[in-house]
Amino acid sequence: MSTDTERVEDGTEASLLESFRDWYHLPVLGVVMLFMVWLRTQSYGRFVTEDGTPALAGIDSWYHWRTINWTAENYPHTMPYEAWTGFPTGTYVGQFGTLFDQLIVTVAMIVGLGDPSAETLYTVSLLSIPVMAALVAIPVFYAGRRLGGTIGGIVSVLVLALSRGQFLSRSTVGQLDHHVAEVLFMGLAILAMMVAVTVAEREKPIYELVADRDWNALRAPAIYSGLAGLALTLYIWIWPSAVLLIGILAVFFTVQLSLDYLRGISPDHVAFVGAVSLGVTAVLTALLIEAPGSTGSTSFGLLQPMTAVLVAAGCVFMAWLARQWNDRNLERRYYPVAVGGLIAATFLVMWLALPDLFDTIIGNATRRMIPFGEATTDTTIQEASPPANFLPHTFAEFGSAFVTMVAGLAFLLLRPLLGRKFRAEHTLVVVWSVFLISMAATQIRFSYYLLLAVAIVNAAFVAELIRLFSLDLTGGLESLRSVETYQVIAIALVVLLLFAPLLPPLATATAWGQAEQTGPQSSSVKWEGSNEWLQENTPAVGNYGGADNASQLDYYGTYTPEDGDYDYPEGSYGVMSWWDYGHLVTTQAERIPHSNPFQQNARSSSAYLTAQSEERAELILDGIAAGGSVADKSSAELEAIAEGNETDEEIRYVMIDDEMAGGKFGAITRWSGPDYGSYVENQQFQVGNETVAAPTVNDNYDNTTMASLYLQDAAGMEQYRLVHESDEYSVVGGMRGRGGLLPRNSVSLRGSGWSNQTQSLQTQLAAARSNDQVYQGLGTPMWDAHVVSSVKTFERVEGATITGSIDGASGIDPENATVRAGVELETDTGRTFTYTQQADPAADGSFELTVPYATDDALGVDDGYTNSSVEATGNYTVGAVVSGDDGMTRYNGETTVSETAVVNGDTVDVSLEEVETAEQPDGNESNETAGDETADDGTADSSDAGAADDGSAENGSAESISAVAVEPAH
């Protein structure tokens, strides 16, 4: 009896061990996934605000928040065309408003029982990104297990979970972007293709089975190939530019079919997978087309189904060619050469017959997949820039796991030499991994894709080491008891090699430390107040000028212009700024930006911001309204473009922040030219008792529309006025930064407001500027620096024309006479500045001055105009100085300028009377127009040298700065 009991107990122990061996990976996988979710949600509280407004960690996240809300309002549809960006045309949003948004909204619909609240939608959106990141572990584990067994799969998910860098930073809470979904669905697509080609190698489908319609023999490979095509379609549905994976698969099928033929294996087997899977992708992506005439990669157009058809047809052709090769008894070794020649001929024909498609394919290859030939403007996009040093970058991202991945790829390639079978899925992984390495060297953001290959291929590396050291890690207790000391040492070394660089104490930056620091994106916080002001104090789009057409522009409406150019109703208007901030204008202000982070209209925005005169800036805006290309046109060409334009699609507001005037200006210049070097020069500055050379901006910079508006408060401009400035201030000027001495950079004065401290700093910097001194009161050397509101908003108006004549003057020489008008203004932060305008009178003494500021606030949003937060403190003072044989004669007058006159371009008359010179002591020019020397930062420059001495050279010496070559600030 006892013997039977012992046997049962032995059997039970064996059964438990077998069950553990078969299923232990599931709880391990679950724990790793929970860890990945926890890791990415540590900073959740920073994204939950008291008033319920969203707080997101990236600029693109804000636009996804818009498309998610749009999808929730129009469920289950996604946005076909966006009229609330890219003014005056709108745009197909392409990679926004995709399956990514539908998945999030669907979950919110389930949680909210069909009618989710804004809070529910926001909560689901925040948590969806960490959850998607954790789900990436599933395809990574199963792909890794296919290469290295269960142990290999576990190693793969551990590498994934502990990695820092691009994948982690783009998958934390608050990062409401499609990047993590790209990784998830690429992983699923690759796993599905690995399974499909393996099934095809086992089932061996050939042409004869298709001709005989032997569906029983074809069922398994057809189903798995169809699923692979579906997975690839879902990936493209997440991100239209995923067409690049079709290109990678094209290379894989070309290589694998050639290898199969050279080894005497029928190419039909794998060609069947290519034809079916890419055929399914072609059909399904054709159903997604939103821009029928487009061959661009960022929208659902012709490119995706056309490339899928080409690859599917190519697989069929290569299988047919192999049969023809056999029938003609040609040497097999020439088959790959012929295939390569035919591919080259195909591209030649495409270049001649379909140049747009050719340019798209080659352009995407050089911009996204090959680390050379990128467009100059790509380097102005942080995530699209290549890493400065690739190998150190990979170590920072993956530790030594990148090196072991390369070793794993070598092991895969050496399998035939090691006496093991080399399967088609191995070719797929090798080709795919090589392309991901190239992509990560091309654009820094693609490191999140490379992590997939690093994690999965390390499974093959670990499997080879296990085989090399004869380790049995899946056996029972007896096998574990028989492990030798050298085997334990080998295991420890592998663990240290893979994971020690990612963990303390060797890792100075860990994944959990990086994730814990996630917070709302700084620009979105800085711009929020200005955008809220814009929404509340400007007329709704469609209502400008009292047009009352706002109802035609529903924020969640559906727009489908046939020609890709939306016809905006009268009263619509756009907002000019740099493309970085377009999504914030759309989402926070619910206004329509001209340029956006799609880089739409970036060239025209650059041309406007760098225009060297108000006249040219106006011609550029007129050309934009007329629908013309303006970036590289002369003034005469711009006049021709604008001539005859009858649209009412005008840009009415301009928004500029400290970074545009500072570190981003170099990037702005790259889009339209001239290059950054033409705006800067080396100049001598005083540091203590010494003089040193430092890079600073020149007159070309000062004359740009951006500087004239932002740094000079539109002084001397006729059709632009400041209507709002944020209550946060920054210092903009030359300063020492990470890249050395920078001609222009900016530093935010957080929580500053227009306080006494801010005003004191402004006075000190003004004095330092006037004396060409280096200011060091903030702890870093600064020169030619200004205190400026972090975000300023300007309105474009017709401007009122002040007309009059100099009383009793005749025969005036215009070259010796000047008329000036000025008015003191105050912002709602309490800062005061003086706007001035000047002109030369005619010989008969008559003059005209166009001014943009009103002395009343008679019109507002209800009238279709702006509730400006910048108000005049008094009337305009108009003065004239006439030089003659009898010396200088002065004239003075005063007038009001109504808001109606400013917006309608009306004329205002003023009378000037001669001022008795006896009333002015010698040298006193107090009755000239106030503000004749308007300070660049908005107030009169101080001549108090003591203020400058307090900070400009305190504890400073020439050693604190050193001249460097002038380079653009990025």
Side-chain angles (χ1 to χ4, degrees):
M1 184 70 179
S2 61
T3 302
D4 292 339
T5 302
E6 289 173 1
R7 288 176 180 174
V8 170
E9 290 176 351
D10 289 342
T12 301
E13 181 181 356
S15 176
L16 290 174
L17 286 174
E18 290 176 359
S19 297
F20 175 78
R21 183 181 60 193
D22 293 339
W23 301 104
Y24 76 95
H25 60 279
L26 293 181
V28 172
L29 185 60
V31 169
V32 171
M33 291 173 67
L34 288 174
F35 168 76
M36 292 178 69
V37 172
W38 167 81
L39 184 70
R40 288 159 171 80
T41 55
Q42 293 179 86
S43 57
Y44 178 83
R46 296 176 188 165
F47 297 93
V48 179
T49 59
E50 293 181 0
D51 60 359
T53 57
L56 300 170
I59 293 295
D60 285 348
S61 299
W62 281 90
Y63 196 74
H64 266 300
W65 176 238
R66 159 141 175 83
T67 56
I68 286 170
N69 277 275
W70 193 99
T71 301
E73 292 287 333
N74 298 273
Y75 190 79
H77 304 288
T78 57
M79 186 184 295
Y81 191 87
E82 173 64 288
W84 283 81
T85 194
F87 189 86
T89 60
T91 188
Y92 290 102
V93 292
Q95 55 195 340
F96 292 80
T98 64
L99 178 62
F100 171 78
D101 305 284
Q102 286 178 311
L103 290 173
I104 293 174
V105 175
T106 298
V107 173
M109 286 286 181
I110 295 172
V111 173
L113 301 178
D115 186 20
S117 64
E119 181 181 2
T120 298
L121 191 62
Y122 183 59
T123 302
V124 171
S125 298
L126 286 180
L127 296 177
S128 63
I129 303 302
V131 170
M132 286 185 185
L135 291 175
V136 174
I138 295 175
V140 164
F141 171 78
Y142 285 102
R145 189 163 76 164
R146 296 186 66 82
L147 299 181
T150 301
I151 294 297
I154 291 175
V155 168
S156 293
V157 296
L158 288 175
V159 170
L160 176 75
L162 295 175
S163 68
R164 52 189 187 261
Q166 291 293 312
F167 178 68
L168 176 61
S169 65
R170 294 172 185 273
S171 59
T172 55
V173 65
Q175 285 285 358
L176 189 56
D177 210 338
H178 52 258
H179 299 306
V180 65
E182 292 175 40
V183 178
L184 172 60
F185 281 87
M186 175 184 264
L188 291 171
I190 289 297
L191 175 62
M193 193 62 72
M194 290 173 68
V195 174
V197 295
T198 302
V199 170
E201 286 181 315
R202 184 184 70 230
E203 301 296 330
K204 296 180 173 54
I206 56 175
Y207 169 74
E208 285 74 15
L209 293 175
V210 176
D212 294 340
R213 299 184 179 181
D214 188 349
W215 306 125
N216 289 330
L218 296 173
R219 180 179 293 109
I223 290 175
Y224 284 102
S225 298
L227 290 174
L230 175 62
L232 178 57
T233 302
L234 293 175
Y235 175 38
I236 294 173
W237 196 357
I238 288 288
W239 186 50
S241 295
V243 67
L244 59 83
L245 184 55
I246 296 179
I248 295 173
L249 293 175
V251 175
F252 157 67
F253 284 117
T254 301
V255 172
Q256 185 60 41
L257 296 181
S258 298
L259 282 176
D260 283 346
Y261 186 71
L262 290 174
R263 294 186 300 175
I265 300 172
S266 173
D268 285 13
H269 312 329
V270 175
F272 178 86
V273 177
V276 173
S277 61
L278 274 300
V280 168
T281 299
V283 172
L284 295 180
T285 53
L287 300 177
L288 299 175
I289 291 178
E290 292 178 347
S294 172
T295 57
S297 63
T298 58
S299 59
F300 294 115
L302 296 175
L303 181 64
Q304 292 83 4
M306 286 180 64
T307 51
V309 166
L310 286 173
V311 176
C315 290
V316 173
F317 174 79
M318 286 187 67
W320 172 85
L321 182 63
R323 289 172 176 264
Q324 298 301 311
W325 214 265
N326 285 336
D327 292 342
R328 290 167 172 74
N329 293 320
L330 300 175
E331 290 194 39
R332 290 179 178 268
R333 59 181 176 174
Y334 295 125
Y335 175 79
V337 177
V339 170
L342 290 170
I343 291 174
T346 300
F347 276 102
L348 178 61
V349 172
M350 186 186 301
W351 176 60
L352 295 172
L354 299 169
D356 289 344
L357 181 60
F358 177 85
D359 290 344
T360 297
I361 292 174
I362 299 302
N364 276 281
T366 56
R367 291 186 63 191
R368 290 189 170 96
M369 303 176 70
I370 303 174
F372 55 84
E374 73 276 357
T376 302
T377 51
D378 284 347
T379 58
T380 70
I381 307 168
Q382 185 176 10
E383 66 178 23
S385 301
N389 297 291
F390 181 66
L391 290 179
H393 169 71
T394 58
F395 188 82
E397 291 272 332
F398 318 114
S400 56
F402 177 76
V403 177
T404 54
M405 179 206 73
V406 174
L409 291 175
F411 282 136
L412 288 176
L413 291 171
L414 292 173
R415 285 179 68 90
L417 299 180
L418 298 176
R420 293 193 292 279
K421 185 176 181 181
F422 186 80
R423 302 190 301 273
E425 65 178 341
H426 297 143
T427 307
L428 172 61
V429 170
V430 170
V431 169
W432 172 63
S433 298
V434 169
F435 270 103
L436 293 190
I437 292 172
S438 179
M439 288 168 60
T442 304
Q443 292 191 14
I444 192 170
R445 65 179 176 137
F446 287 145
S447 294
Y448 58 69
Y449 278 142
L450 181 55
L451 177 60
L452 281 175
V454 169
I456 291 171
V457 177
N458 264 290
F461 171 75
V462 170
E464 290 300 329
L465 291 184
I466 290 175
R467 183 184 295 271
L468 178 65
F469 291 100
S470 304
L471 294 171
D472 182 10
L473 302 181
T474 61
L477 292 176
E478 291 301 322
S479 64
L480 295 178
R481 294 190 186 103
S482 64
V483 173
E484 301 289 340
T485 302
Y486 79 94
Q487 293 174 318
V488 174
I489 294 174
I491 294 173
L493 289 176
V494 170
V495 171
L496 287 174
L497 182 62
L498 280 173
F499 302 115
L502 301 175
L503 299 168
L506 293 183
T508 56
T510 61
W512 47 90
Q514 179 180 335
E516 191 177 19
Q517 297 174 4
T518 302
Q521 206 270 344
S522 58
S523 292
S524 66
V525 175
K526 179 168 61 179
W527 277 65
E528 185 175 12
S530 294
N531 281 326
E532 288 178 354
W533 180 92
L534 192 69
Q535 182 180 20
E536 296 170 1
N537 294 278
T538 61
V541 180
N543 284 352
Y544 194 92
D548 198 25
N549 289 320
S551 59
Q552 298 181 35
L553 275 169
D554 183 0
Y555 190 63
Y556 296 111
T558 300
Y559 306 96
T560 54
E562 295 181 0
D563 58 354
D565 184 353
Y566 180 69
D567 185 14
Y568 288 88
E570 182 183 358
S572 301
Y573 60 87
V575 178
M576 172 65 74
S577 189
W578 188 229
W579 63 257
D580 289 24
Y581 310 110
H583 291 342
L584 297 179
V585 173
T586 298
T587 56
Q588 292 181 338
E590 294 189 11
R591 295 298 182 263
I592 310 178
H594 173 61
S595 57
N596 49 50
F598 306 140
Q599 288 82 56
Q600 182 188 13
N601 299 326
R603 292 190 187 279
S604 51
S605 292
S606 171
Y608 172 82
L609 293 168
T610 58
Q612 291 290 293
S613 67
E614 182 180 10
E615 179 184 11
R616 179 165 177 80
E618 283 296 287
L619 286 173
I620 288 172
L621 293 188
D622 290 341
I624 291 172
S629 173
V630 299
D632 54 353
K633 298 296 189 295
S634 66
S635 294
E637 290 172 321
L638 290 172
E639 289 178 357
I641 292 172
E643 187 176 355
N645 176 40
E646 297 180 355
T647 68
D648 190 46
E649 298 173 335
E650 299 287 348
I651 290 175
R652 296 291 182 184
Y653 298 93
V654 181
M655 301 183 75
I656 303 173
D657 77 342
D658 58 314
E659 293 183 68
M660 292 168 61
K664 290 184 178 180
F665 184 71
I668 292 173
T669 64
R670 291 193 183 187
W671 287 85
S672 63
D675 60 44
Y676 186 71
S678 66
Y679 296 94
V680 297
E681 63 186 14
N682 282 323
Q683 183 177 322
Q684 297 296 317
F685 289 92
Q686 193 74 22
V687 183
N689 296 321
E690 302 179 55
T691 301
V692 298
T696 188
V697 294
N698 57 26
D699 289 344
N700 290 337
Y701 175 91
D702 293 334
N703 292 334
T704 62
T705 301
M706 182 199 65
S708 298
L709 291 171
Y710 184 68
L711 297 179
Q712 301 165 29
D713 287 324
M717 302 183 80
E718 297 180 343
Q719 295 184 288
Y720 295 90
R721 62 179 181 180
L722 178 68
V723 291
H724 178 260
E725 67 178 26
S726 67
D727 60 0
E728 298 286 340
Y729 287 81
S730 301
V731 176
V732 176
M735 61 186 70
R736 177 182 289 280
R738 294 179 181 177
L741 303 187
L742 305 176
R744 269 293 179 266
N745 201 20
S746 62
V747 176
S748 296
L749 305 174
R750 295 298 184 191
S752 54
W754 191 244
S755 62
N756 291 334
Q757 184 179 7
T758 306
Q759 295 177 54
S760 175
L761 176 61
Q762 179 273 332
T763 301
Q764 295 175 41
L765 290 177
R769 284 200 313 276
S770 64
N771 295 317
D772 288 334
Q773 291 180 313
V774 173
Y775 179 83
Q776 300 189 88
L778 294 179
T780 186
M782 298 177 177
W783 53 96
D784 190 24
H786 308 252
V787 173
V788 199
S789 170
S790 296
V791 184
K792 289 185 176 182
T793 304
F794 300 86
E795 183 182 14
R796 183 185 178 211
V797 293
E798 290 294 323
T801 301
I802 299 176
T803 64
S805 62
I806 300 174
D807 187 25
S810 62
I812 291 177
D813 181 3
E815 293 183 359
N816 294 316
T818 303
V819 180
R820 294 183 177 92
V823 63
E824 186 183 63
L825 300 147
E826 183 176 3
T827 69
D828 61 351
T829 65
R831 183 177 71 91
T832 59
F833 65 98
T834 302
Y835 167 82
T836 60
Q837 182 61 278
Q838 69 179 39
D840 296 331
D844 63 358
S846 63
F847 60 86
E848 290 185 354
L849 294 162
T850 302
V851 297
Y853 289 98
T855 56
D856 65 25
D857 54 359
L859 299 178
V861 172
D862 292 340
D863 305 299
Y865 297 102
T866 307
N867 284 333
S868 176
S869 67
V870 179
E871 297 184 352
T873 61
N875 295 334
Y876 272 88
T877 300
V878 183
V881 179
V882 180
S883 299
D885 296 336
D886 299 329
M888 286 192 300
T889 305
R890 305 175 188 283
Y891 300 85
N892 205 6
E894 187 175 292
T895 185
T896 61
V897 175
S898 69
E899 181 76 2
T900 302
V902 168
V903 298
N904 292 334
D906 294 340
T907 299
V908 177
D909 295 325
V910 64
S911 297
L912 299 187
E913 297 180 355
E914 183 177 349
V915 179
E916 295 294 334
T917 56
E919 296 178 7
Q920 299 178 60
D922 290 342
N924 186 347
E925 300 181 359
S926 61
N927 62 342
E928 289 191 32
T929 303
D932 187 26
E933 295 290 335
T934 304
D936 291 345
D937 50 24
T939 60
D941 286 350
S942 170
S943 59
D944 184 356
D949 290 341
D950 288 342
S952 63
E954 183 179 0
N955 299 323
S957 68
E959 296 180 357
S960 64
I961 65 173
S962 57
V964 295
V966 174
E967 295 289 346
H970 299 290

